[in-house]
């Protein structure tokens, strides 16, 4: 039997009704159209992958995006907005590999690149509808039918143009990149793939190898756990901050040899002090530049560019002295640090292992030719031992990465790659970065600034299949002769007008060749790094420069972007690089770096642990407004790029105290406005009033509007919402509470009309301030107050000057009241009990009534300090009893189901003489407060009756509704 779905909360029902209304009335489209011709506010949307499901964490960034764009629209800007979809790269390929049960170059080639890529294309929008459903239910407005996708031919053509510009500026070159590589799959792995494949307690060799110095009778003692990499040795590295020791060792037969190790590793390497003698100590600088004899005779090694830098000692800060010998064997072909050192000093890359993981020939040691690299370890150890070049051969257990697909040991492999020479434009990057405003501000010169200042060359090509093809066609007879194609039109000029370019993906694009000046050019196999595509988003979403040039000029740089902290070195960075290269400009002006949502216990959100509620459950109960307010009001989530814990109880409290309070304030207004048939003005304007409470509320509203605007303009979202929360509290718990009697009273005087006008204006303005952050309820209530108009089509409230003196005076008044209430509490006298007087420091006379009513005193006198007279007379006690009676009668009205404007017949009886005195003395006040038109001597049968306790004495209350006279 199927489970019965729990009913949706009233808030959820309101939101779903508003979604339907927005769709039916095309409210979003109208909000954009009515601003056409106004200043453009440009937003770039970071595209997610739609081949995976959205999760709870996406709600934060999406809420910020929607809120800021709604705000800017209300501020009068023209704010078209498109969302985008990432379509290329490993996340897509990974899913398709699992679908077909294949992995790596061999199996994908056997399957067929056309079959593989067709499946990739079919998968890219698998969950697009789920994404859009989540975003729309969250209230995010976007032109969902005008999205951009990185898979589109137009997008790719703009990416090609961007790369051609990089090439024309002399910043494109071919080199090597060190990457985790599976030789069995013949494919590089991403970092997240590597993280999935580590194994602990893997046994590997621990080999201490002697490298003979050429100019002296001594050996550099190196250490490695990868003997297979030794044929690719090209250099030795030492730590420039360390001291090194020449140690003379004498074996049992009296043979001596001189070994060089780091001083701090001396005892760890030479465990028996009797076997060695320290001959001298030298600084690392004295070793740098020395040459040594290679271990293996690599064929044609001296014909390579940079061969003069081979087999030398170089300084490197990454050389560890926590293990090994402090003397590091460097093989640029098989390590990231090694390759970086090699590139820094122009040391050749000796690729002694082929792409299938087997040892190449011509190393002067034929026995290992063709062996799988790990199988070569023991042969290399035996060979070097026979050559007298092994000091010690041991084993160790450590953590080592294996291929998650086929369980093969990985190696770091220097693969050929196309690079952008980013290191040459660091100064330019830093200069354009100065124009960017960051939230939080410290990222500008911190995480981002430092990353930019140390920018390294960017490997932009990938040996993959599903991606934008690298638009480089190379002369098949000269790899240094190549053409970077900038457009489809240019490629057709080169390859002929009949060239089929409907699909620019592999394998179709691989078939496009052309002849120029008698030379044949073929496209390189690589595809572009999908981050290069993302970096070109600003131009590619507009198909610039091929069309939309005017639109591009208006939207570049973006006024605003927002993503998580990890994008500081990803999407934010690659956009900045490309914009600087192409236009000498930043790609964006303002960035909000959002934090990360964690579970309530501080752990990461985990489907397995079920440590967060399904987002649909939150929508159906608390609602999207509550979720948005909870997230957006967090400084950690929106302003400090920190971790924020998702606390559902905290969200419920926020919903009750903000949205609930706002609804209650609206209901209060509507109830009395309907009773009195009060009609709102056709056009909203600041009301005029002679009442100090009205004047204060309007001034307080102006202050809040000014501060919300200032904070939102500075992208301080949490601080903006904080101001809205406090003004809602002030409206409800001070203004409405202090003004209740003005709405209750039956006479239709000017004071009552001023109260209606002020509360209506306050509610409308508060709803406008709230609209970007909690768009559903704000629109529902605004429509009720403003004859069906949408708040999202209204202009942001004007920021007036306000009245600071009035605000200060009322603030002082409230402080005096708080002090008086504290004295009441200390004397254990409840607020309903009237007192004779209070003295407070002097204020304008108009505040006396406010103080008297709040402290429930007969007189307010000016004095030097707050002093409450707590002496009780019999008359005061009787009046206090009257107040208690009124409260109980009002509760009896509610329990009897009466309307607030129903008149009643009332009977009250008690045996207590003091209460009887109160009934007699204050009969008129009781009848006025409770809308009693008659007080009966005896109850009638049709009256609702209940017995209550007043000061411990029983009182029977009977009442019924009667027709008003």
């Amino acid at each position: 039997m199927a489970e019965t779905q729990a009913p949706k909360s009233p808030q959820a029902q309101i939101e779903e009704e508003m979604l339907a209304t927005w769709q039916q009335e095309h409210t979003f489209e109208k909000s954009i159209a009515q601003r056409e011709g106004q200043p453009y506010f440009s937003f770039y949307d970071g595209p997610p992958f739609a081949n995976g499901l959205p999760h709870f964490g996406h709600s934060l960034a999406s809420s910020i995006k929607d809120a800021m764009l709604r705000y800017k629209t209300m501020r009068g800007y023209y704010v078209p907005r498109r969302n985008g979809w990432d379509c290329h790269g490993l996340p897509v390929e990974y899913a398709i590999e699992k679908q077909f049960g294949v992995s790596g170059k061999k199996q994908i080639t056997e399957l067929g690149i056309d079959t593989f890529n067709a499946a990739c294309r079919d998968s890219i929008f698998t969950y697009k509808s789920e994404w859009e459903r989540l975003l729309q239910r969250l209230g995010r407005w976007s032109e969902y039918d005008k999205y951009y996708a990185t898979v589109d031919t137009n997008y790719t053509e703009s990416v090609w143009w961007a790369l051609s510009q990089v090439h024309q500026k002399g910043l494109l070159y071919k080199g090597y990149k060190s990457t985790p590589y599976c030789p069995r799959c013949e494919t590089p792995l991403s970092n997240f793939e590597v993280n999935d494949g580590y194994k602990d307690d893997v046994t590997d060799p621990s080999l201490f190898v002697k490298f003979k110095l050429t100019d002296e009778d001594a050996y550099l003692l190196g250490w490695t756990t990868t003997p297979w990499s030794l044929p690719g040795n090209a250099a030795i590295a030492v730590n420039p901050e360390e001291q090194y020791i020449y140690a003379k060792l004498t074996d049992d037969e009296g043979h001596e040899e001189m070994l060089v190790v780091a001083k701090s590793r001396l005892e760890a390497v030479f465990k028996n002090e009797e076997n060695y003698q320290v001959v001298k100590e030298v600084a690392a600088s004295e070793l740098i530049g020395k040459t040594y004899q290679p271990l293996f005779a690599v064929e044609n090694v001296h014909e390579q560019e940079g061969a003069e830098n081979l087999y030398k000692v170089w300084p490197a800060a990454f050389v560890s002295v926590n293990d090994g010998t402090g003397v590091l064997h460097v093989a640029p072909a098989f390590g990231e640090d090694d390759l970086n050192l090699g590139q820094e000093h122009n040391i050749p890359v000796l690729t002694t292992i082929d792409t299938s993981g087997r040892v190449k020939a011509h190393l002067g040691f034929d026995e290992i030719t063709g062996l799988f690299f790990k199988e070569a370890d023991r042969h290399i150890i035996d060979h070097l031992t026979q050559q007298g070049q092994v000091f010690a051969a041991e084993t160790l257990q450590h953590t080592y990465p294996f291929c998650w697909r086929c369980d093969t040991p990985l190696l770091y492999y220097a693969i050929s790659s196309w690079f952008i020479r980013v290191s040459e434009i660091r100064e330019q990057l830093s200069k354009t970065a100065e124009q960017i405003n960051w939230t939080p501000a410290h990222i500008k010169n911190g995480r981002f600034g430092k990353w930019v200042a140390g920018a390294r060359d960017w490997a932009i090509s990938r040996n993959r299949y599903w991606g934008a093809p690298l638009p480089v066609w190379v002369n098949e007879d000269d790899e240094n002769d190549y053409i970077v194609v900038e457009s489809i039109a240019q490629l057709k000029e080169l390859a002929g007008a009949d060239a089929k370019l409907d699909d620019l993906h592999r394998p179709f694009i691989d078939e496009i060749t052309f002849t120029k000046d008698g030379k044949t050019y073929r496209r390189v196999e690589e595809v572009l790094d999908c981050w290069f595509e993302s970096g070109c988003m600003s131009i590619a979403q507009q198909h610039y420069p091929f069309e939309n040039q005017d639109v591009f000029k208006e939207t570049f740089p973006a006024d605003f972007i927002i993503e998580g902290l990890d994008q500081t070195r990803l999407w934010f960075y690659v956009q900045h690089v490309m914009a600087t290269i192409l236009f000498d400009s930043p790609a964006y002006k303002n960035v909000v770096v959002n934090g990360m949502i964690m579970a309530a216990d501080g752990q990461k959100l985990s489907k397995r642990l079920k440590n967060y509620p399904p987002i649909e459950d939150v929508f159906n109960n608390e609602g999207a407004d509550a979720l948005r307010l909870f997230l957006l009001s967090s400084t950690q989530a929106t302003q400090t790029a920190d971790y924020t814990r998702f606390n559902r109880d905290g969200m419920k409290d926020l919903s009750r105290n903000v949205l609930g309070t706002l609804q209650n304030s609206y209901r209060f207004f509507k109830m009395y406005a309907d009773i009195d048939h009060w009609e709102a003005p056709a056009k909203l304007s600041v009301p005029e009033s002679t009442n100090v409470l009205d004047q204060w509320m309007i001034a307080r509203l102006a202050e809040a509007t000014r501060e919300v605007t200032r904070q939102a303009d500075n992208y301080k979202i949490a601080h903006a919402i904080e101001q809205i929360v406090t003004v809602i509290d002030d409206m409800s718990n001070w203004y409405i509470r202090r003004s209740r009697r003005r709405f209750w009273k039956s006479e239709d005087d000017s004071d009552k009309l001023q109260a209606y006008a002020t509360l209506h204006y306050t509610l409308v303005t508060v709803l406008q301030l709230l609209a970007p952050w909690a768009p559903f309820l704000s629109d529902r209530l605004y429509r009720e107050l403003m004859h069906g108009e949408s708040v999202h089509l209204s202009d942001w409230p004007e920021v007036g000057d306000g009245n600071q003196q009035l605000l200060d005076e009322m603030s002082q008044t409230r402080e005096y009241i708080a002090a008086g209430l504290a004295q009441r509490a200390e004397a254990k006298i409840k607020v309903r009990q009237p007192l004779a007087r209070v003295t407070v420091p002097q204020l304008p006379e108009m505040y006396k009534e406010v103080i008297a009513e709040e402290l429930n005193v007969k007189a307010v006198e000016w004095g030097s300090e707050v002093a409450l007279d707590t002496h009780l007379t019999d008359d005061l006690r009787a009046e206090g009893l009257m107040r208690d009676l009124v409260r109980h009668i009002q509760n009896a009205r509610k329990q009897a189901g009466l309307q607030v404007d129903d008149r009643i017949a009332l009977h009250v009886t008690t045996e207590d003489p003091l209460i009887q005195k109160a009934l007699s003395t204050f009969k008129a006040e009781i009848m006025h407060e409770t809308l009693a038109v008659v007080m009966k001597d005896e109850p009638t049968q049709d009256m609702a009756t209940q017995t209550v306790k007043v000061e411990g004495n029983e009182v029977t209350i009977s009442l019924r509704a009667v027709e008003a006279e």
Side-chain angles (χ1 to χ4, degrees):
M1 186 174 179
E3 292 186 9
T4 303
Q5 187 175 5
K8 294 178 180 178
S9 70
Q11 180 64 30
Q13 293 174 31
I14 287 173
E15 292 180 355
E16 292 186 353
E17 289 168 7
M18 288 313 306
L19 284 172
T21 300
W22 291 342
Q23 185 174 11
Q24 181 180 356
E25 296 182 358
H26 304 288
T27 312
F28 167 54
E29 292 79 4
K30 288 178 182 176
S31 74
I32 295 177
Q34 73 177 16
R35 306 293 184 185
E36 198 162 358
Q38 298 303 308
Y40 215 117
F41 184 82
S42 171
F43 166 68
Y44 292 167
D45 187 22
F49 283 98
N51 73 318
L53 284 167
H55 59 74
F56 198 95
H58 288 112
S59 59
L60 172 57
S62 292
S63 295
I64 296 173
K65 292 173 182 179
D66 181 70
M68 283 307 305
L69 301 184
R70 285 179 185 268
Y71 169 71
K72 289 296 183 179
T73 300
M74 292 181 70
R75 290 281 279 150
Y77 291 94
Y78 178 55
V79 193
R81 59 207 79 160
R82 300 173 69 192
N83 62 306
W85 301 108
D86 236 336
C87 303
H88 289 143
L90 280 173
V92 180
E93 290 196 17
Y94 175 46
I96 301 308
E97 286 186 11
K98 288 202 298 184
Q99 175 183 322
F100 282 115
V102 299
S103 62
K105 182 176 182 179
K106 291 179 180 176
Q107 294 183 357
I108 291 174
T109 303
E110 290 172 2
L111 173 70
I113 296 175
D114 55 345
T115 301
F116 183 81
N117 276 1
C120 287
R121 179 184 285 278
D122 289 342
S123 76
I124 54 177
F125 293 132
T126 300
Y127 299 110
K128 178 172 172 285
S129 60
E130 280 82 354
W131 272 93
E132 291 177 347
R133 186 162 58 89
L134 165 70
L135 297 178
Q136 290 172 359
R137 182 61 187 87
L138 190 63
R140 183 176 172 193
W141 276 353
S142 185
E143 299 171 80
Y144 291 107
D145 58 342
K146 295 181 181 178
Y147 63 85
Y148 73 88
T150 60
V151 73
D152 293 341
T153 297
N154 283 352
Y155 193 101
T156 298
E157 186 173 28
S158 292
V159 170
W160 281 10
W161 176 83
L163 187 65
S164 74
Q165 297 301 299
V166 172
H167 174 56
Q168 289 176 28
K169 293 175 187 290
L171 297 175
L172 182 68
Y173 71 94
K174 192 172 185 182
Y176 286 98
K177 176 191 176 187
S178 186
T179 182
Y181 183 84
C182 175
R184 190 173 298 279
C185 298
E186 295 191 36
T187 188
L189 282 75
S190 68
N191 288 332
F192 79 84
E193 289 178 296
V194 175
N195 292 337
D196 281 346
Y198 275 102
K199 293 184 181 181
D200 296 326
D201 301 325
V202 175
T203 301
D204 267 325
S206 173
L207 187 67
F208 293 82
V209 185
K210 298 183 292 185
F211 295 84
K212 176 67 172 62
L213 289 167
T214 57
D215 60 350
E216 55 186 303
D217 190 16
Y219 294 87
L220 298 166
L221 185 58
W223 176 69
T224 184
T225 60
T226 58
W228 56 264
S229 68
L230 287 169
N233 171 267
I236 293 291
V238 294
N239 191 309
E241 303 299 321
E242 291 294 316
Q243 293 293 109
Y244 284 80
I245 296 295
Y246 277 71
K248 182 187 291 185
L249 270 72
T250 306
D251 63 18
D252 294 339
E253 298 178 359
H255 297 132
E256 296 180 346
E257 62 182 359
M258 193 79 70
L259 300 178
V260 182
V261 297
K263 181 180 180 181
S264 59
R265 298 301 299 164
L266 192 63
E267 293 181 5
V269 175
F270 306 131
K271 300 178 176 62
N272 188 343
E273 293 185 9
E274 298 177 356
N275 289 348
Y276 72 89
Q277 174 187 356
V278 175
V279 175
K280 64 177 178 178
E281 179 177 333
V282 299
S285 59
E286 296 182 54
L287 297 176
I288 293 169
K290 289 183 177 291
T291 59
Y292 63 91
Q293 296 174 1
L295 299 179
F296 293 87
V298 181
E299 189 175 67
N300 300 323
V301 69
H302 294 294
E303 296 177 8
Q304 298 197 39
E305 180 184 348
E308 67 277 8
N309 296 320
L310 282 168
Y311 310 125
K312 288 184 178 180
V313 180
W314 301 93
F318 60 79
V319 176
S320 172
V321 290
N322 296 321
D323 51 21
T325 64
V327 175
L328 188 68
H329 139 65
V330 175
F334 308 119
E336 187 172 12
D337 287 334
D338 303 49
L339 181 60
N340 290 338
L341 183 72
Q343 291 174 335
E344 182 180 355
H345 299 295
N346 193 29
I347 303 170
V349 176
L350 306 182
T351 309
T352 55
I353 305 293
D354 67 18
T355 56
S356 63
R358 301 193 176 276
V359 180
K360 290 183 177 180
H362 311 301
L363 299 176
F365 179 37
D366 293 339
E367 187 177 338
I368 59 174
T369 299
L371 290 180
F372 194 64
F373 73 105
K374 291 296 287 182
E375 295 172 355
D377 277 345
R378 59 185 179 88
H379 297 283
I380 289 172
I381 294 171
D382 289 345
H383 173 73
L384 294 177
T385 300
Q386 293 172 13
Q387 299 292 322
Q389 291 177 291
V390 171
F391 171 72
E394 303 167 350
T395 59
L396 58 70
Q397 288 187 324
H398 62 162
T399 301
Y400 194 87
F402 285 73
C403 179
W404 60 271
R405 299 181 183 94
C406 65
D407 210 33
T408 299
L410 300 181
L411 66 155
Y412 270 83
Y413 198 77
I415 60 174
S416 175
S417 186
W418 292 83
F419 288 82
I420 296 178
R421 222 179 293 270
V422 181
S423 58
E424 285 193 7
I425 60 167
R426 287 174 185 157
E427 187 174 336
Q428 188 182 2
L429 289 171
S430 296
K431 183 179 178 181
T432 51
E434 281 299 313
Q435 303 170 44
I436 304 171
N437 172 54
W438 288 83
T439 300
H442 65 80
I443 291 180
K444 178 173 185 172
N445 296 318
R447 186 181 177 94
F448 186 76
K450 290 177 181 176
W451 186 253
V452 165
R456 297 189 297 182
D457 289 358
W458 177 12
I460 59 162
S461 61
R462 296 291 181 267
N463 297 82
R464 301 299 305 179
Y465 309 95
W466 179 242
L470 192 71
V472 177
W473 271 258
V474 179
N475 181 347
E476 62 182 7
D477 296 322
D478 181 2
E479 64 178 13
N480 296 315
D481 174 19
Y482 57 86
I483 297 170
V484 180
V485 172
E486 71 173 14
S487 65
I488 293 173
Q490 182 191 8
L491 185 55
K492 285 194 171 184
E493 286 179 8
L494 292 167
D498 295 334
K500 291 190 65 177
L501 298 175
D502 299 331
D503 188 342
L504 298 182
H505 291 86
R506 301 187 67 189
F508 313 109
I509 194 69
D510 297 339
E511 298 168 3
I512 305 296
T513 63
F514 56 82
T515 301
K516 183 180 180 184
D517 300 329
K519 296 173 284 189
T520 300
Y521 291 81
R522 300 184 183 278
R523 197 191 74 83
V524 297
E525 284 192 351
E526 294 98 323
V527 297
L528 282 162
D529 174 13
C530 60
W531 284 111
F532 183 83
E533 291 184 87
S534 297
C536 297
M537 174 267 185
S538 61
I539 63 168
Q541 70 164 338
Q542 305 290 358
H543 194 209
Y544 180 90
F546 306 102
E547 55 182 322
N548 298 319
Q549 294 192 17
D550 291 340
V551 174
F552 175 74
K553 289 175 183 176
E554 285 192 273
T555 58
F556 179 88
D559 291 294
F560 169 59
I561 63 172
I562 171 265
E563 296 295 339
L565 185 62
D566 56 331
Q567 299 303 317
T568 307
R569 296 175 179 177
L570 294 171
W571 192 54
F572 296 153
Y573 173 71
V574 295
Q575 281 192 97
H576 184 66
V577 169
M578 293 309 301
T580 300
I581 292 174
L582 296 176
F583 307 108
D584 193 23
S585 164
Y588 38 84
K589 301 173 186 175
N590 298 284
V591 191
V592 170
V593 181
N594 65 266
M596 179 178 288
I597 306 176
M598 308 296 281
D601 58 4
Q603 296 189 68
K604 286 187 176 182
L605 300 180
S606 167
K607 286 184 180 179
R608 180 179 59 83
L609 296 176
K610 296 182 179 179
N611 57 3
Y612 64 95
I615 196 165
E616 289 290 344
D617 188 56
V618 173
F619 288 153
N620 291 338
N621 287 279
E622 294 79 19
D625 275 341
L627 176 60
R628 287 170 64 124
L629 271 187
F630 176 81
L631 296 174
L632 296 176
S633 63
S634 164
T635 55
Q636 295 95 330
T638 64
Q639 292 179 197
T640 63
D642 208 342
Y643 295 103
T644 185
R645 297 187 181 192
F646 177 73
N647 183 326
R648 195 166 189 178
D649 289 335
M651 180 178 66
K652 291 177 180 177
D653 289 342
L654 185 69
S655 176
R656 180 172 57 254
N657 296 331
V658 180
L659 300 178
T661 298
L662 181 59
Q663 284 177 290
N664 289 337
S665 299
Y666 164 75
R667 292 186 188 113
F668 174 87
F669 168 81
K670 180 173 171 50
M671 178 173 61
Y672 287 100
D674 287 349
I675 290 170
D676 289 335
H677 305 290
W678 184 86
E679 291 188 8
K683 185 177 181 182
L684 192 69
S685 61
V686 180
E688 294 183 0
S689 176
T690 57
N691 188 294
V692 66
L693 282 168
D694 295 342
Q695 294 170 5
W696 171 82
M697 188 68 251
I698 292 167
R700 177 69 186 91
L701 195 60
E703 178 187 50
T705 300
R706 182 168 58 253
E707 191 60 17
V708 172
T709 305
R710 184 177 73 86
Q711 298 290 0
D713 281 349
N714 290 326
Y715 299 92
K716 298 292 192 294
I717 295 173
H719 287 166
I721 292 174
E722 181 183 19
Q723 295 297 319
I724 301 170
V725 171
T726 56
V727 80
I728 288 174
D729 182 71
D730 282 343
M731 173 183 66
S732 172
N733 294 321
W734 183 248
Y735 175 75
I736 292 178
R737 187 172 61 78
R738 288 292 318 120
S739 301
R740 279 183 182 276
R741 291 181 181 275
R742 302 168 65 199
F743 293 95
W744 286 348
K745 60 188 177 183
S746 56
E747 59 270 21
D748 196 18
D749 60 7
S750 62
D751 181 62
K752 188 174 191 177
L753 295 176
Q754 289 172 1
Y756 275 126
T758 299
L759 183 52
H760 177 267
Y761 176 78
T762 301
L763 282 166
V764 168
T765 305
V766 165
L767 291 167
Q768 289 176 308
L769 297 179
L770 184 65
W773 330 108
F776 295 97
L777 182 63
S778 59
D779 201 14
R780 165 58 69 86
L781 300 184
Y782 186 90
R783 287 168 182 263
E784 295 285 340
L785 293 165
M786 294 298 291
H787 317 291
E789 298 175 12
S790 172
V791 70
H792 303 295
L793 300 180
S794 69
D795 292 333
W796 187 253
E798 291 186 10
V799 181
D801 295 332
N803 187 331
Q804 192 58 47
Q805 181 179 341
L806 183 64
L807 293 171
D808 292 342
E809 290 170 353
M810 187 65 82
S811 178
Q812 195 66 63
T813 300
R814 295 175 76 173
E815 286 184 21
Y816 296 159
I817 290 168
L821 291 173
Q823 291 177 25
R824 265 187 176 276
E826 187 176 355
K828 296 182 175 159
I829 301 173
K830 57 192 176 185
V831 178
R832 282 191 302 276
Q833 172 62 60
L835 294 174
R837 69 187 54 80
V838 67
T839 59
V840 299
Q842 188 164 358
L843 288 164
E845 287 292 318
M846 59 186 175
Y847 294 103
K848 274 190 174 181
E849 182 181 353
V850 176
I851 296 170
E853 290 186 1
E854 277 294 297
L855 289 179
N856 195 7
V857 295
K858 298 296 185 183
V860 177
E861 299 171 358
W862 304 132
S864 60
E865 61 182 12
V866 179
L868 188 68
D869 182 354
T870 57
H871 176 68
L872 289 174
T873 65
D874 287 344
D875 287 343
L876 289 172
R877 290 181 188 278
E879 188 174 346
L881 290 171
M882 179 270 288
R883 297 287 178 89
D884 270 345
L885 284 169
V886 168
R887 177 174 64 88
H888 285 296
I889 294 168
Q890 300 289 32
N891 285 337
R893 285 176 56 98
K894 288 182 182 178
Q895 291 181 25
L898 301 183
Q899 300 300 313
V900 293
D901 59 338
D902 283 344
R903 270 49 179 175
I904 62 170
L906 175 66
H907 170 75
V908 181
T909 184
T910 180
E911 297 296 325
D912 183 73
L914 282 177
I915 300 176
Q916 289 175 348
K917 179 181 177 182
L919 281 166
S920 174
T921 304
F922 298 103
K923 178 179 178 181
E925 286 85 348
I926 292 171
M927 292 180 68
H928 176 76
E929 292 287 334
T930 62
L931 297 185
V933 296
V934 62
M935 287 193 71
K936 298 282 190 180
D937 293 332
E938 295 292 336
T940 57
Q941 289 185 347
D942 58 352
M943 284 184 169
T945 300
Q946 62 175 256
T947 300
V948 298
K949 288 285 184 76
V950 177
E951 295 287 340
N953 298 291
E954 285 193 354
V955 176
T956 301
I957 300 170
S958 302
L959 54 82
R960 63 176 171 80
V962 297
E963 293 295 328
E965 295 182 0

